[in-house]
Amino acid sequence: MWQRIQTLYLAIVVVLSTLQIFLPVAGVMDILNGEVYEYRLFHLINSTTGEVFLDSYFLPLLPAIIAVIALVTIFLFNKRLLQIRLCVINLVLALGYYGYLYYHLYVARENFEQASIYYSMSASFQLINFVLLIMAIRAIGKDEALIRAMDRIR
């Protein structure tokens, strides 16, 4: 199981998605007041006072779902076609994460007269996961082709 490269790719997806749950992903900076609000876990929080500004319960749930699906995918090494399907579901969820994040930042920015949106480094984790999932799909496909070719030779 661990000697296959797609297992390493999927393990990195699990680690990055888990880290993204706990790290601040993005935020809104109020230009008039100079206050900074950032997404931490389930809320948009004022970074100086700790006051909750906006709730976003589903935002950290998407990386958690992606991590769980990737972890399950690692242990389904005998069912390669199911692994490919689960990786495709993770690809869709990774793209959906960015859409949902943009939606929340857009809603939060409308509550201020002048505000700018900023992204932290952890916002790129799902993009890295997207690339890793594509590489895992290709590696799983190569394994499946190899197994089919070996069955054909027998």
Side-chain angles (χ1 to χ4, degrees):
M1 174 174 70
W2 287 103
Q3 66 269 20
R4 297 173 24 197
I5 190 69
Q6 60 264 29
T7 305
L8 180 64
Y9 296 150
L10 292 170
I12 294 171
V13 168
V14 170
V15 169
L16 288 178
S17 293
T18 305
L19 281 175
Q20 191 174 31
I21 295 170
F22 300 107
L23 294 175
V25 178
V28 178
M29 185 180 300
D30 187 9
I31 296 172
L32 295 178
N33 297 334
E35 294 181 345
V36 177
Y37 298 88
E38 58 187 18
Y39 278 105
R40 289 192 185 170
L41 280 179
F42 299 107
H43 310 290
L44 181 66
I45 299 175
N46 188 330
S47 62
T48 56
T49 64
E51 176 186 345
V52 175
F53 182 71
L54 185 67
D55 294 325
S56 62
Y57 294 109
F58 197 62
L59 195 60
L61 224 58
L62 276 172
I65 291 169
I66 290 170
V68 167
I69 291 175
L71 189 64
V72 168
T73 305
I74 289 173
F75 293 106
L76 293 173
F77 55 90
N78 286 333
K79 301 176 183 176
R80 286 169 294 282
L81 294 178
L82 181 59
Q83 275 187 319
I84 291 174
R85 288 185 187 118
L86 289 175
C87 285
V88 169
I89 290 171
N90 263 352
L91 285 173
V92 171
L93 288 175
L95 289 178
Y97 176 80
Y98 282 117
Y100 194 70
L101 178 65
Y102 177 75
Y103 168 75
H104 262 281
L105 288 172
Y106 181 76
V107 168
R109 191 180 65 175
E110 284 185 351
N111 292 323
F112 302 104
E113 289 181 26
Q114 288 184 343
S116 64
I117 295 173
Y118 70 92
Y119 298 95
S120 66
M121 185 63 179
S122 62
S124 65
F125 286 174
Q126 289 304 323
L127 183 63
I128 296 168
N129 286 349
F130 188 81
V131 172
L132 288 170
L133 287 167
I134 289 174
M135 291 169 36
I137 288 171
R138 292 184 67 196
I140 294 167
K142 285 180 184 177
D143 276 358
E144 181 65 22
L146 180 67
I147 296 295
R148 289 183 187 234
M150 289 172 62
D151 285 344
R152 215 177 24 235
I153 292 174
R154 286 188 210 178

